[in-house]
Amino acid sequence: RSGKFTAGDMYGPCYEIENGSVVRKGNFIDSDQLKPKFGHKFFRNSHIYQELIKPKNRDLVALRELHAAIIEQADKELRNNYGSSMTVLLWPEAPFKEDLANRGIATVEVAPWFPDLDKYDEKYRIPYDGHPNDAATSVVAGPLADYIRKKAEE
């Protein structure tokens, strides 16, 4: 939701990096990031806005950096408040493995757990959404449980 990629994201949290720290700036709808020069209230849900105007405002490198910083901040809070660390599951085509590794965040790639990875999009994604579906979580559940048990033994 912090990526402002879908119409629903405009109501999601708007974060920025200030002086190396992640700072919440309210929701996208309240910020200047989604406001075109005119007709903001009329255009924000339009197909034209979502497909033509908004993508031009995306800096994907900066967005990856922001997502990595948000995860790093969550990891710090997890360590400071609970004495534990975060491990991020990287689904196929996850774009920021190196960004997380550079910040010391542990990752686990789930792609090797799929026997038919070539059919991932059609079998394991929610249509028109892109998130993993029930079948994907069923495939990942066993190997992930094994991974967690192994880490607990270390």
Side-chain angles (χ1 to χ4, degrees), residues 24-42:
R24 180 157 181 188
K25 297 289 192 171
N27 295 342
F28 286 116
I29 197 74
D30 303 322
S31 76
D32 290 334
Q33 292 189 31
L34 288 182
K35 294 180 182 175
K37 301 270 188 234
F38 64 93
H40 167 62
K41 293 190 184 290
F42 177 74

Side-chain angles (χ1 to χ4, degrees), residues 55-70:
K56 290 182 180 177
N57 294 326
R58 293 182 189 152
D59 177 346
L60 296 180
V61 173
L63 188 58
R64 280 181 28 196
E65 178 69 18
L66 176 62
H67 286 164
I70 291 169

Side-chain angles (χ1 to χ4, degrees), residues 37-106:
K37 301 270 188 234
F38 64 93
H40 167 62
K41 293 190 184 290
F42 177 74
F43 284 112
R44 67 183 178 210
N45 288 324
S46 75
H47 181 74
I48 292 170
Y49 179 74
Q50 294 299 321
E51 296 300 320
L52 300 176
I53 298 170
K54 194 165 79 170
K56 290 182 180 177
N57 294 326
R58 293 182 189 152
D59 177 346
L60 296 180
V61 173
L63 188 58
R64 280 181 28 196
E65 178 69 18
L66 176 62
H67 286 164
I70 291 169
I71 293 169
E72 179 182 37
Q73 182 64 37
D75 183 61
K76 285 178 184 174
E77 291 183 25
L78 188 60
R79 289 174 192 271
N80 292 340
N81 294 325
Y82 302 101
S84 186
S85 62
M86 180 177 289
T87 299
V88 176
L89 295 180
L90 295 176
W91 294 88
E93 301 171 14
F96 56 111
K97 178 182 179 179
E98 288 181 25
D99 300 300
L100 296 175
N102 291 339
R103 294 170 178 274
I105 307 294

